[in-house]
Amino acid sequence: MASSLISNSHHIDFESVFRLDDAGMVQMFETLIATGLKEFLGCPAVFYEDALTEFFANSSVREDGMVVSTIGGTTIEMSQAMFAAAFELPTEGLIDLTDVPKNFVFDARSLFSDSKEQVSMSCLKKALKFHYRLLHDILAKTIYVKDGSFDCVTRDRFLLMTAITFDIKINWSSLLFGVFKEMVTPDSRQAQGYAIQICVLLRNVPGVELGESK
């Protein structure tokens, strides 16, 4: 389980990517910073395997919306406000992706395309320019935490790529914490991830024995 948790993640060293000799790639990473994801995607790379496994084994969503668990008998409580503050996530902006303006979606269909033809909102990833393929993979694997292959672009990921690229404000606090809650909901089809980010949060919980970071 722990190996799948850490594999469902991209950790970005933003300082190193800005040394890449690829203007399109650098600009894509700059949009991730501008949208408010720098501290989430580029947080300290810590991984407490045993503690994380125990966290997920005992976790659930309480009626007040808090994610709760226990590690070594110590109670863990995580609120959306705590989650947002830890990673400096925007708490205002777009929540419903269907609200992305249609003119931006139209322009994105040409901008993202690796050919002279517009792509559809549900297309094969290989139809995108290379740096937009990487943006898609970051969203699929690290934001939505999808298991397995993601060679096809979904409508939601296309809309989110459009919002990021055209600098539309996104309520990342709501979106990411919503995915997090799905991860700890019994019988949910949501894959579990956010391994590094959860470990960062666990470091700040008094009295929790985490062991050595891998």
Side-chain angles (χ1 to χ4, degrees):
M1 175 184 174
S3 60
S4 66
L5 286 172
I6 198 65
S7 67
N8 286 342
S9 181
H10 281 298
H11 180 267
I12 299 175
D13 181 346
F14 282 97
E15 288 188 13
S16 66
V17 297
F18 289 141
R19 294 194 291 269
L20 294 173
D21 188 22
D22 185 318
M25 192 72 76
V26 169
Q27 184 179 21
M28 185 275 288
F29 283 110
E30 286 176 341
T31 63
L32 290 174
I33 291 177
T35 196
L37 287 176
K38 182 180 180 182
E39 299 304 320
F40 184 81
L41 295 174
C43 66
V46 293
F47 181 54
Y48 304 101
E49 182 175 349
D50 293 341
L52 188 65
T53 301
E54 187 175 356
F55 172 85
F56 273 112
N58 300 327
S59 59
S60 62
V61 180
R62 210 164 57 192
E63 288 185 1
D64 60 0
M66 297 265 281
V67 172
V68 295
S69 185
T70 58
I71 297 177
T74 301
T75 300
I76 313 292
E77 297 181 336
M78 297 181 182
S79 66
Q80 182 173 324
M82 179 192 305
F83 190 86
F87 304 110
E88 300 178 20
L89 297 171
T91 57
E92 297 180 353
L94 196 73
I95 293 177
D96 186 347
L97 293 176
T98 61
D99 291 334
V100 174
K102 289 182 174 55
N103 61 309
F104 287 151
V105 174
F106 181 85
D107 291 345
R109 291 176 58 200
S110 297
L111 180 65
F112 296 165
S113 176
D114 197 32
S115 69
K116 294 180 180 179
E117 301 295 325
Q118 281 192 322
V119 294
S120 68
M121 293 173 65
S122 299
C123 63
L124 291 176
K125 187 178 67 176
K126 65 182 181 181
L128 307 179
K129 293 185 178 77
F130 183 77
H131 49 284
Y132 291 117
R133 295 181 206 173
L134 179 56
L135 175 59
H136 169 269
D137 286 357
I138 291 171
L139 298 183
K141 193 170 187 179
T142 305
I143 302 301
Y144 286 112
V145 193
K146 181 185 181 299
D147 274 337
S149 172
F150 31 86
D151 291 334
C152 295
V153 180
T154 66
R155 183 172 178 274
D156 279 355
R157 291 200 289 270
F158 191 95
L159 289 172
L160 193 53
M161 289 170 62
T162 301
I164 292 170
T165 302
F166 288 89
D167 198 25
I168 299 170
K169 289 185 178 180
I170 301 166
N171 188 332
W172 287 111
S173 169
S174 177
L175 192 155
L176 292 171
F177 197 72
V179 174
F180 184 29
K181 288 195 294 185
E182 284 294 314
M183 290 178 190
V184 302
T185 298
D187 301 323
S188 170
R189 297 177 65 185
Q190 172 65 53
Q192 293 177 335
Y194 294 2
I196 295 171
Q197 290 80 6
I198 295 170
C199 288
V200 168
L201 293 171
L202 292 176
R203 289 197 309 181
N204 298 321
V205 178
V208 177
E209 294 293 332
L210 298 175
E212 189 172 341
S213 172
K214 295 190 174 182

